[in-house]
Amino acid sequence: MSRKLIIGNWKMNGSLAANEALARALTTAGLEEKPVDCAVCPPSVYLAQMAGLLQGSSLLLGAQTVHARESGAFTGDVSAAMLAELGCKLVLVGHSERRAGHGESSEQVAAQALAAARAGLTPVVCVGESADDHDAGLMQDVVIAQLAPLAGLEVEAGVLLLEKLVLAYEPIWAIGSGEAATPQYVSVVLECIHEWLAEAAPALAEEALPRVLYGGSVRPDNASEMLSLHACGGLLVGGASLVAEEFIAICSAAAAQV
Ligand code: 13P
């Protein structure tokens, strides 16, 4: 089984002082000795500060969004090259809060992911169904439709974008609700995503296929059961990633699964 990936999405939270305290706690927790990949995604204004604070640690730095274009008249946006220059290793794209609040379509999300991968970043493409789609039993259809624009895109000749990314399944109704989806439910959707991947990239060996994470009200007390799912490559953590002990506990639970 490959190492799990645990990503903390800080969303629009933090301050210079709070980030420093959190970074100190995370970098002195001994995570680098554990078989787990851990990352934090602070707001973009704090990326430079966090790059400094994480220097020399095994914690990876990520951003929360990226523009698809390399440069130009895109007020308020940041490019993949800028993120890479600051030391980012990954970037979230298509988070449901970006899709809903900024009208990002799945085609735009795919373009962002491609730009990120071309700049050497790992795009973490987020997908997930709304409460209404959940109630209508449409979760697989919605997720597959969100994934579809990623198929066939090449980072360079002969290198599929699907080899270079991470996927994160976050049912919107579970985000910030305190109620994670059940492991049985998550397992069905993650297996469906894996089946889609196998069809979309038939030439890729299983080890080359991307990790698929779960996100939505992940806490220390439910992390292990999600991580024990065969199809679960890690977790995307919101609220609990802002509390050092909780994020460390989740990362430690992931290390225990290897
Ligand atoms: P919570 O863990 O706070 O539910 O947030 C999940 C999320 O949206 C992470 O990207």
Side-chain angles (χ1 to χ4, degrees), residues 5 7 37 39 41 60-66 80 83-84 87-93 112-126 155 161-168 209-213:
L5 171 62
I7 304 175
D37 299 323
C41 300
L60 304 170
L61 183 63
Q64 297 178 12
T65 186
V66 64
L83 299 178
C88 287
K89 298 291 181 232
L90 48 90
V91 58
L92 307 180
V93 295
Q112 293 167 3
L114 192 60
R118 286 183 172 157
L121 302 168
T122 298
V124 181
V125 180
C126 306
V155 178
L161 176 60
L162 291 176
E163 294 175 61
K164 297 290 178 188
L165 50 65
V166 167
L167 298 176
L209 288 172
R211 286 184 279 197
V212 187
L213 317 184

mmCIF file of all heavy atoms in Angstrom, residues 5 7 37 39 41 60-66 80 83-84 87-93 112-126 155 161-168 209-213:
data_model
loop_
_atom_site.group_PDB
_atom_site.id
_atom_site.type_symbol
_atom_site.label_atom_id
_atom_site.label_comp_id
_atom_site.label_asym_id
_atom_site.label_seq_id
_atom_site.Cartn_x
_atom_site.Cartn_y
_atom_site.Cartn_z
ATOM 1 N N LEU A 5 -1.667 10.476 1.819
ATOM 2 C CA LEU A 5 -1.435 11.916 1.717
ATOM 3 C C LEU A 5 -2.501 12.632 2.544
ATOM 4 O O LEU A 5 -3.697 12.427 2.326
ATOM 5 C CB LEU A 5 -1.526 12.340 0.244
ATOM 6 C CG LEU A 5 -1.515 13.833 -0.052
ATOM 7 C CD1 LEU A 5 -0.203 14.481 0.401
ATOM 8 C CD2 LEU A 5 -1.719 14.073 -1.556
ATOM 9 N N ILE A 7 -3.812 16.362 3.563
ATOM 10 C CA ILE A 7 -3.698 17.779 3.200
ATOM 11 C C ILE A 7 -4.606 18.607 4.099
ATOM 12 O O ILE A 7 -5.800 18.308 4.244
ATOM 13 C CB ILE A 7 -4.119 18.015 1.730
ATOM 14 C CG1 ILE A 7 -3.291 17.144 0.774
ATOM 15 C CG2 ILE A 7 -3.983 19.489 1.364
ATOM 16 C CD1 ILE A 7 -3.735 17.243 -0.685
ATOM 17 N N ASP A 37 2.681 11.411 3.887
ATOM 18 C CA ASP A 37 2.947 12.696 3.242
ATOM 19 C C ASP A 37 1.937 13.702 3.777
ATOM 20 O O ASP A 37 0.724 13.456 3.709
ATOM 21 C CB ASP A 37 2.803 12.569 1.724
ATOM 22 C CG ASP A 37 3.785 11.563 1.139
ATOM 23 O OD1 ASP A 37 4.937 11.505 1.639
ATOM 24 O OD2 ASP A 37 3.413 10.836 0.208
ATOM 25 N N ALA A 39 0.663 17.882 4.035
ATOM 26 C CA ALA A 39 0.738 19.187 3.368
ATOM 27 C C ALA A 39 -0.229 20.160 4.015
ATOM 28 O O ALA A 39 -1.259 19.743 4.560
ATOM 29 C CB ALA A 39 0.394 19.026 1.888
ATOM 30 N N CYS A 41 -2.282 23.967 3.141
ATOM 31 C CA CYS A 41 -2.642 24.938 2.107
ATOM 32 C C CYS A 41 -3.183 26.196 2.775
ATOM 33 O O CYS A 41 -4.398 26.304 3.026
ATOM 34 C CB CYS A 41 -3.700 24.357 1.178
ATOM 35 S SG CYS A 41 -3.188 22.865 0.327
ATOM 36 N N LEU A 60 4.730 19.594 3.191
ATOM 37 C CA LEU A 60 4.635 20.194 1.865
ATOM 38 C C LEU A 60 3.741 21.424 1.928
ATOM 39 O O LEU A 60 2.773 21.465 2.699
ATOM 40 C CB LEU A 60 4.050 19.186 0.879
ATOM 41 C CG LEU A 60 4.799 17.857 0.770
ATOM 42 C CD1 LEU A 60 3.987 16.853 -0.042
ATOM 43 C CD2 LEU A 60 6.175 18.077 0.165
ATOM 44 N N LEU A 61 4.068 22.402 1.081
ATOM 45 C CA LEU A 61 3.267 23.620 1.023
ATOM 46 C C LEU A 61 2.370 23.567 -0.213
ATOM 47 O O LEU A 61 2.817 23.198 -1.302
ATOM 48 C CB LEU A 61 4.204 24.838 0.950
ATOM 49 C CG LEU A 61 3.538 26.212 0.961
ATOM 50 C CD1 LEU A 61 2.774 26.447 2.268
ATOM 51 C CD2 LEU A 61 4.591 27.312 0.762
ATOM 52 N N GLY A 62 1.110 23.938 -0.015
ATOM 53 C CA GLY A 62 0.186 23.958 -1.143
ATOM 54 C C GLY A 62 -0.628 25.240 -1.145
ATOM 55 O O GLY A 62 -0.731 25.927 -0.134
ATOM 56 N N ALA A 63 -1.197 25.554 -2.306
ATOM 57 C CA ALA A 63 -2.076 26.713 -2.437
ATOM 58 C C ALA A 63 -3.508 26.225 -2.603
ATOM 59 O O ALA A 63 -3.753 25.034 -2.790
ATOM 60 C CB ALA A 63 -1.648 27.560 -3.629
ATOM 61 N N GLN A 64 -4.452 27.176 -2.525
ATOM 62 C CA GLN A 64 -5.871 26.793 -2.548
ATOM 63 C C GLN A 64 -6.526 26.941 -3.910
ATOM 64 O O GLN A 64 -7.623 26.449 -4.137
ATOM 65 C CB GLN A 64 -6.638 27.623 -1.516
ATOM 66 C CG GLN A 64 -6.179 27.371 -0.096
ATOM 67 C CD GLN A 64 -6.921 28.229 0.909
ATOM 68 O OE1 GLN A 64 -7.930 28.873 0.605
ATOM 69 N NE2 GLN A 64 -6.423 28.258 2.136
ATOM 70 N N THR A 65 -5.859 27.665 -4.809
ATOM 71 C CA THR A 65 -6.370 27.814 -6.168
ATOM 72 C C THR A 65 -5.266 28.374 -7.045
ATOM 73 O O THR A 65 -4.232 28.832 -6.540
ATOM 74 C CB THR A 65 -7.602 28.746 -6.217
ATOM 75 O OG1 THR A 65 -8.143 28.740 -7.551
ATOM 76 C CG2 THR A 65 -7.256 30.172 -5.837
ATOM 77 N N VAL A 66 -5.464 28.328 -8.340
ATOM 78 C CA VAL A 66 -4.484 28.841 -9.296
ATOM 79 C C VAL A 66 -5.223 29.237 -10.567
ATOM 80 O O VAL A 66 -6.266 28.653 -10.890
ATOM 81 C CB VAL A 66 -3.411 27.767 -9.595
ATOM 82 C CG1 VAL A 66 -4.005 26.550 -10.287
ATOM 83 C CG2 VAL A 66 -2.258 28.335 -10.414
ATOM 84 N N ALA A 80 0.490 29.522 -11.745
ATOM 85 C CA ALA A 80 1.170 28.319 -11.256
ATOM 86 C C ALA A 80 2.664 28.587 -11.077
ATOM 87 O O ALA A 80 3.271 28.108 -10.109
ATOM 88 C CB ALA A 80 0.941 27.171 -12.234
ATOM 89 N N LEU A 83 3.299 30.248 -7.788
ATOM 90 C CA LEU A 83 3.200 29.312 -6.666
ATOM 91 C C LEU A 83 4.447 28.433 -6.583
ATOM 92 O O LEU A 83 4.988 28.203 -5.500
ATOM 93 C CB LEU A 83 1.944 28.438 -6.814
ATOM 94 C CG LEU A 83 0.609 29.185 -6.822
ATOM 95 C CD1 LEU A 83 -0.540 28.198 -7.026
ATOM 96 C CD2 LEU A 83 0.419 29.975 -5.536
ATOM 97 N N ALA A 84 4.892 27.973 -7.731
ATOM 98 C CA ALA A 84 6.086 27.112 -7.749
ATOM 99 C C ALA A 84 7.298 27.888 -7.257
ATOM 100 O O ALA A 84 8.123 27.367 -6.493
ATOM 101 C CB ALA A 84 6.316 26.577 -9.157
ATOM 102 N N GLY A 87 7.695 27.971 -3.623
ATOM 103 C CA GLY A 87 7.990 26.712 -2.939
ATOM 104 C C GLY A 87 6.794 25.784 -2.800
ATOM 105 O O GLY A 87 6.883 24.756 -2.116
ATOM 106 N N CYS A 88 5.681 26.146 -3.423
ATOM 107 C CA CYS A 88 4.520 25.240 -3.362
ATOM 108 C C CYS A 88 4.824 23.962 -4.127
ATOM 109 O O CYS A 88 5.481 23.985 -5.169
ATOM 110 C CB CYS A 88 3.292 25.899 -3.987
ATOM 111 S SG CYS A 88 2.600 27.194 -2.984
ATOM 112 N N LYS A 89 4.312 22.874 -3.610
ATOM 113 C CA LYS A 89 4.445 21.581 -4.288
ATOM 114 C C LYS A 89 3.107 21.131 -4.844
ATOM 115 O O LYS A 89 3.060 20.294 -5.731
ATOM 116 C CB LYS A 89 4.956 20.509 -3.311
ATOM 117 C CG LYS A 89 6.338 20.813 -2.755
ATOM 118 C CD LYS A 89 7.394 20.692 -3.842
ATOM 119 C CE LYS A 89 8.789 20.971 -3.316
ATOM 120 N NZ LYS A 89 9.507 21.962 -4.099
ATOM 121 N N LEU A 90 2.027 21.631 -4.289
ATOM 122 C CA LEU A 90 0.717 21.226 -4.772
ATOM 123 C C LEU A 90 -0.256 22.397 -4.700
ATOM 124 O O LEU A 90 0.018 23.418 -4.070
ATOM 125 C CB LEU A 90 0.206 20.004 -3.998
ATOM 126 C CG LEU A 90 0.271 20.019 -2.478
ATOM 127 C CD1 LEU A 90 -0.998 20.594 -1.904
ATOM 128 C CD2 LEU A 90 0.475 18.593 -1.963
ATOM 129 N N VAL A 91 -1.378 22.213 -5.368
ATOM 130 C CA VAL A 91 -2.410 23.254 -5.347
ATOM 131 C C VAL A 91 -3.779 22.597 -5.485
ATOM 132 O O VAL A 91 -3.968 21.699 -6.302
ATOM 133 C CB VAL A 91 -2.173 24.314 -6.454
ATOM 134 C CG1 VAL A 91 -2.127 23.701 -7.850
ATOM 135 C CG2 VAL A 91 -3.245 25.401 -6.407
ATOM 136 N N LEU A 92 -4.715 23.028 -4.630
ATOM 137 C CA LEU A 92 -6.093 22.563 -4.751
ATOM 138 C C LEU A 92 -6.717 23.237 -5.964
ATOM 139 O O LEU A 92 -6.502 24.436 -6.178
ATOM 140 C CB LEU A 92 -6.907 22.955 -3.511
ATOM 141 C CG LEU A 92 -6.363 22.562 -2.136
ATOM 142 C CD1 LEU A 92 -7.320 23.054 -1.045
ATOM 143 C CD2 LEU A 92 -6.174 21.057 -2.042
ATOM 144 N N VAL A 93 -7.468 22.499 -6.742
ATOM 145 C CA VAL A 93 -8.260 23.117 -7.814
ATOM 146 C C VAL A 93 -9.670 22.533 -7.770
ATOM 147 O O VAL A 93 -9.863 21.366 -7.427
ATOM 148 C CB VAL A 93 -7.638 22.944 -9.222
ATOM 149 C CG1 VAL A 93 -6.315 23.667 -9.340
ATOM 150 C CG2 VAL A 93 -7.465 21.491 -9.593
ATOM 151 N N GLN A 112 -6.988 24.653 -15.109
ATOM 152 C CA GLN A 112 -6.144 25.042 -13.970
ATOM 153 C C GLN A 112 -5.214 23.887 -13.576
ATOM 154 O O GLN A 112 -4.031 24.108 -13.300
ATOM 155 C CB GLN A 112 -7.013 25.418 -12.762
ATOM 156 C CG GLN A 112 -7.846 26.678 -12.948
ATOM 157 C CD GLN A 112 -8.914 26.823 -11.865
ATOM 158 O OE1 GLN A 112 -9.007 26.019 -10.948
ATOM 159 N NE2 GLN A 112 -9.724 27.854 -11.987
ATOM 160 N N ALA A 113 -5.776 22.691 -13.549
ATOM 161 C CA ALA A 113 -4.969 21.526 -13.178
ATOM 162 C C ALA A 113 -3.827 21.330 -14.176
ATOM 163 O O ALA A 113 -2.690 21.038 -13.795
ATOM 164 C CB ALA A 113 -5.850 20.278 -13.124
ATOM 165 N N LEU A 114 -4.133 21.528 -15.446
ATOM 166 C CA LEU A 114 -3.105 21.361 -16.478
ATOM 167 C C LEU A 114 -2.001 22.412 -16.319
ATOM 168 O O LEU A 114 -0.809 22.089 -16.381
ATOM 169 C CB LEU A 114 -3.766 21.479 -17.856
ATOM 170 C CG LEU A 114 -2.922 21.053 -19.046
ATOM 171 C CD1 LEU A 114 -2.512 19.587 -18.935
ATOM 172 C CD2 LEU A 114 -3.697 21.281 -20.353
ATOM 173 N N ALA A 115 -2.402 23.652 -16.072
ATOM 174 C CA ALA A 115 -1.410 24.724 -15.876
ATOM 175 C C ALA A 115 -0.527 24.407 -14.674
ATOM 176 O O ALA A 115 0.692 24.596 -14.703
ATOM 177 C CB ALA A 115 -2.121 26.063 -15.673
ATOM 178 N N ALA A 116 -1.147 23.905 -13.617
ATOM 179 C CA ALA A 116 -0.386 23.572 -12.403
ATOM 180 C C ALA A 116 0.617 22.462 -12.697
ATOM 181 O O ALA A 116 1.803 22.560 -12.344
ATOM 182 C CB ALA A 116 -1.344 23.149 -11.290
ATOM 183 N N ALA A 117 0.146 21.409 -13.356
ATOM 184 C CA ALA A 117 1.040 20.276 -13.637
ATOM 185 C C ALA A 117 2.178 20.697 -14.558
ATOM 186 O O ALA A 117 3.321 20.249 -14.395
ATOM 187 C CB ALA A 117 0.240 19.131 -14.255
ATOM 188 N N ARG A 118 1.881 21.567 -15.507
ATOM 189 C CA ARG A 118 2.932 22.030 -16.433
ATOM 190 C C ARG A 118 3.978 22.873 -15.713
ATOM 191 O O ARG A 118 5.112 22.985 -16.175
ATOM 192 C CB ARG A 118 2.306 22.797 -17.601
ATOM 193 C CG ARG A 118 1.623 21.852 -18.563
ATOM 194 C CD ARG A 118 1.052 22.536 -19.776
ATOM 195 N NE ARG A 118 0.579 21.535 -20.722
ATOM 196 C CZ ARG A 118 -0.330 21.729 -21.658
ATOM 197 N NH1 ARG A 118 -0.890 22.924 -21.792
ATOM 198 N NH2 ARG A 118 -0.682 20.754 -22.460
ATOM 199 N N ALA A 119 3.594 23.464 -14.581
ATOM 200 C CA ALA A 119 4.556 24.246 -13.791
ATOM 201 C C ALA A 119 5.254 23.368 -12.752
ATOM 202 O O ALA A 119 6.005 23.869 -11.911
ATOM 203 C CB ALA A 119 3.840 25.409 -13.108
ATOM 204 N N GLY A 120 4.980 22.073 -12.780
ATOM 205 C CA GLY A 120 5.657 21.157 -11.859
ATOM 206 C C GLY A 120 4.954 20.973 -10.530
ATOM 207 O O GLY A 120 5.495 20.347 -9.617
ATOM 208 N N LEU A 121 3.736 21.531 -10.413
ATOM 209 C CA LEU A 121 2.960 21.358 -9.178
ATOM 210 C C LEU A 121 2.071 20.129 -9.311
ATOM 211 O O LEU A 121 1.713 19.736 -10.417
ATOM 212 C CB LEU A 121 2.064 22.574 -8.935
ATOM 213 C CG LEU A 121 2.744 23.925 -8.817
ATOM 214 C CD1 LEU A 121 1.698 25.035 -8.866
ATOM 215 C CD2 LEU A 121 3.527 24.010 -7.511
ATOM 216 N N THR A 122 1.676 19.565 -8.186
ATOM 217 C CA THR A 122 0.680 18.492 -8.204
ATOM 218 C C THR A 122 -0.697 19.119 -7.997
ATOM 219 O O THR A 122 -0.980 19.648 -6.921
ATOM 220 C CB THR A 122 0.936 17.480 -7.067
ATOM 221 O OG1 THR A 122 2.214 16.893 -7.266
ATOM 222 C CG2 THR A 122 -0.137 16.391 -7.062
ATOM 223 N N PRO A 123 -1.549 19.080 -9.023
ATOM 224 C CA PRO A 123 -2.910 19.582 -8.803
ATOM 225 C C PRO A 123 -3.726 18.574 -7.998
ATOM 226 O O PRO A 123 -3.653 17.370 -8.248
ATOM 227 C CB PRO A 123 -3.484 19.721 -10.225
ATOM 228 C CG PRO A 123 -2.513 19.101 -11.155
ATOM 229 C CD PRO A 123 -1.336 18.586 -10.394
ATOM 230 N N VAL A 124 -4.481 19.083 -7.040
ATOM 231 C CA VAL A 124 -5.382 18.235 -6.253
ATOM 232 C C VAL A 124 -6.792 18.613 -6.690
ATOM 233 O O VAL A 124 -7.327 19.647 -6.286
ATOM 234 C CB VAL A 124 -5.185 18.466 -4.741
ATOM 235 C CG1 VAL A 124 -6.120 17.569 -3.933
ATOM 236 C CG2 VAL A 124 -3.730 18.235 -4.347
ATOM 237 N N VAL A 125 -7.350 17.818 -7.576
ATOM 238 C CA VAL A 125 -8.634 18.160 -8.191
ATOM 239 C C VAL A 125 -9.772 17.667 -7.307
ATOM 240 O O VAL A 125 -9.882 16.467 -7.025
ATOM 241 C CB VAL A 125 -8.749 17.530 -9.597
ATOM 242 C CG1 VAL A 125 -10.088 17.902 -10.232
ATOM 243 C CG2 VAL A 125 -7.597 17.986 -10.486
ATOM 244 N N CYS A 126 -10.595 18.610 -6.851
ATOM 245 C CA CYS A 126 -11.674 18.279 -5.913
ATOM 246 C C CYS A 126 -12.987 18.090 -6.668
ATOM 247 O O CYS A 126 -13.324 18.883 -7.558
ATOM 248 C CB CYS A 126 -11.848 19.399 -4.894
ATOM 249 S SG CYS A 126 -10.329 19.835 -4.029
ATOM 250 N N VAL A 155 0.216 16.697 -20.128
ATOM 251 C CA VAL A 155 1.114 17.702 -19.543
ATOM 252 C C VAL A 155 2.231 18.009 -20.545
ATOM 253 O O VAL A 155 2.653 19.152 -20.713
ATOM 254 C CB VAL A 155 1.708 17.175 -18.219
ATOM 255 C CG1 VAL A 155 2.689 18.180 -17.620
ATOM 256 C CG2 VAL A 155 0.601 16.863 -17.234
ATOM 257 N N LEU A 161 -2.153 14.060 -17.882
ATOM 258 C CA LEU A 161 -2.418 14.827 -16.653
ATOM 259 C C LEU A 161 -2.830 13.878 -15.524
ATOM 260 O O LEU A 161 -2.477 14.090 -14.365
ATOM 261 C CB LEU A 161 -3.522 15.857 -16.932
ATOM 262 C CG LEU A 161 -4.007 16.683 -15.744
ATOM 263 C CD1 LEU A 161 -2.871 17.499 -15.130
ATOM 264 C CD2 LEU A 161 -5.158 17.591 -16.153
ATOM 265 N N LEU A 162 -3.551 12.822 -15.879
ATOM 266 C CA LEU A 162 -4.026 11.883 -14.854
ATOM 267 C C LEU A 162 -2.894 11.185 -14.104
ATOM 268 O O LEU A 162 -3.100 10.652 -13.024
ATOM 269 C CB LEU A 162 -4.958 10.835 -15.477
ATOM 270 C CG LEU A 162 -6.313 11.370 -15.954
ATOM 271 C CD1 LEU A 162 -7.111 10.270 -16.640
ATOM 272 C CD2 LEU A 162 -7.111 11.951 -14.787
ATOM 273 N N GLU A 163 -1.695 11.193 -14.683
ATOM 274 C CA GLU A 163 -0.534 10.600 -13.980
ATOM 275 C C GLU A 163 0.047 11.567 -12.965
ATOM 276 O O GLU A 163 0.858 11.185 -12.130
ATOM 277 C CB GLU A 163 0.608 10.302 -14.964
ATOM 278 C CG GLU A 163 0.340 9.251 -15.970
ATOM 279 C CD GLU A 163 1.505 9.165 -16.947
ATOM 280 O OE1 GLU A 163 2.646 8.871 -16.510
ATOM 281 O OE2 GLU A 163 1.275 9.401 -18.150
ATOM 282 N N LYS A 164 -0.303 12.833 -13.093
ATOM 283 C CA LYS A 164 0.401 13.880 -12.356
ATOM 284 C C LYS A 164 -0.457 14.550 -11.300
ATOM 285 O O LYS A 164 -0.028 15.535 -10.704
ATOM 286 C CB LYS A 164 0.903 14.955 -13.340
ATOM 287 C CG LYS A 164 1.906 14.443 -14.354
ATOM 288 C CD LYS A 164 3.217 14.135 -13.661
ATOM 289 C CE LYS A 164 4.247 13.568 -14.607
ATOM 290 N NZ LYS A 164 5.445 13.090 -13.905
ATOM 291 N N LEU A 165 -1.661 14.050 -11.099
ATOM 292 C CA LEU A 165 -2.530 14.750 -10.155
ATOM 293 C C LEU A 165 -2.948 13.844 -8.996
ATOM 294 O O LEU A 165 -2.619 12.661 -8.942
ATOM 295 C CB LEU A 165 -3.753 15.334 -10.872
ATOM 296 C CG LEU A 165 -4.607 14.480 -11.816
ATOM 297 C CD1 LEU A 165 -5.311 13.364 -11.073
ATOM 298 C CD2 LEU A 165 -5.624 15.342 -12.526
ATOM 299 N N VAL A 166 -3.666 14.472 -8.094
ATOM 300 C CA VAL A 166 -4.324 13.778 -6.984
ATOM 301 C C VAL A 166 -5.795 14.152 -7.096
ATOM 302 O O VAL A 166 -6.119 15.271 -7.509
ATOM 303 C CB VAL A 166 -3.733 14.254 -5.635
ATOM 304 C CG1 VAL A 166 -4.575 13.814 -4.454
ATOM 305 C CG2 VAL A 166 -2.298 13.763 -5.473
ATOM 306 N N LEU A 167 -6.680 13.231 -6.778
ATOM 307 C CA LEU A 167 -8.108 13.549 -6.764
ATOM 308 C C LEU A 167 -8.598 13.581 -5.322
ATOM 309 O O LEU A 167 -8.077 12.840 -4.471
ATOM 310 C CB LEU A 167 -8.901 12.501 -7.555
ATOM 311 C CG LEU A 167 -8.559 12.391 -9.047
ATOM 312 C CD1 LEU A 167 -9.344 11.246 -9.691
ATOM 313 C CD2 LEU A 167 -8.850 13.697 -9.780
ATOM 314 N N ALA A 168 -9.554 14.448 -5.062
ATOM 315 C CA ALA A 168 -10.137 14.506 -3.717
ATOM 316 C C ALA A 168 -11.649 14.489 -3.837
ATOM 317 O O ALA A 168 -12.232 15.366 -4.489
ATOM 318 C CB ALA A 168 -9.678 15.765 -2.990
ATOM 319 N N LEU A 209 -1.502 5.286 -11.159
ATOM 320 C CA LEU A 209 -2.776 6.001 -11.070
ATOM 321 C C LEU A 209 -2.769 6.895 -9.831
ATOM 322 O O LEU A 209 -2.117 6.593 -8.829
ATOM 323 C CB LEU A 209 -3.929 4.996 -10.995
ATOM 324 C CG LEU A 209 -4.199 4.267 -12.318
ATOM 325 C CD1 LEU A 209 -5.210 3.147 -12.108
ATOM 326 C CD2 LEU A 209 -4.708 5.233 -13.386
ATOM 327 N N PRO A 210 -3.483 8.012 -9.890
ATOM 328 C CA PRO A 210 -3.418 8.971 -8.787
ATOM 329 C C PRO A 210 -4.060 8.461 -7.500
ATOM 330 O O PRO A 210 -4.942 7.606 -7.523
ATOM 331 C CB PRO A 210 -4.201 10.174 -9.319
ATOM 332 C CG PRO A 210 -5.048 9.664 -10.402
ATOM 333 C CD PRO A 210 -4.343 8.478 -10.997
ATOM 334 N N ARG A 211 -3.582 9.050 -6.404
ATOM 335 C CA ARG A 211 -4.239 8.781 -5.128
ATOM 336 C C ARG A 211 -5.582 9.517 -5.117
ATOM 337 O O ARG A 211 -5.700 10.612 -5.669
ATOM 338 C CB ARG A 211 -3.363 9.276 -3.967
ATOM 339 C CG ARG A 211 -2.163 8.371 -3.722
ATOM 340 C CD ARG A 211 -1.354 8.800 -2.521
ATOM 341 N NE ARG A 211 -0.461 9.904 -2.865
ATOM 342 C CZ ARG A 211 0.586 10.263 -2.110
ATOM 343 N NH1 ARG A 211 0.854 9.613 -0.988
ATOM 344 N NH2 ARG A 211 1.352 11.269 -2.468
ATOM 345 N N VAL A 212 -6.559 8.914 -4.473
ATOM 346 C CA VAL A 212 -7.879 9.535 -4.353
ATOM 347 C C VAL A 212 -8.162 9.736 -2.862
ATOM 348 O O VAL A 212 -8.173 8.777 -2.087
ATOM 349 C CB VAL A 212 -8.980 8.671 -5.000
ATOM 350 C CG1 VAL A 212 -10.302 9.431 -4.993
ATOM 351 C CG2 VAL A 212 -8.606 8.284 -6.427
ATOM 352 N N LEU A 213 -8.343 10.996 -2.478
ATOM 353 C CA LEU A 213 -8.539 11.338 -1.069
ATOM 354 C C LEU A 213 -10.024 11.496 -0.750
ATOM 355 O O LEU A 213 -10.838 11.722 -1.639
ATOM 356 C CB LEU A 213 -7.842 12.665 -0.735
ATOM 357 C CG LEU A 213 -6.429 12.930 -1.291
ATOM 358 C CD1 LEU A 213 -5.912 14.263 -0.744
ATOM 359 C CD2 LEU A 213 -5.487 11.809 -0.955
#
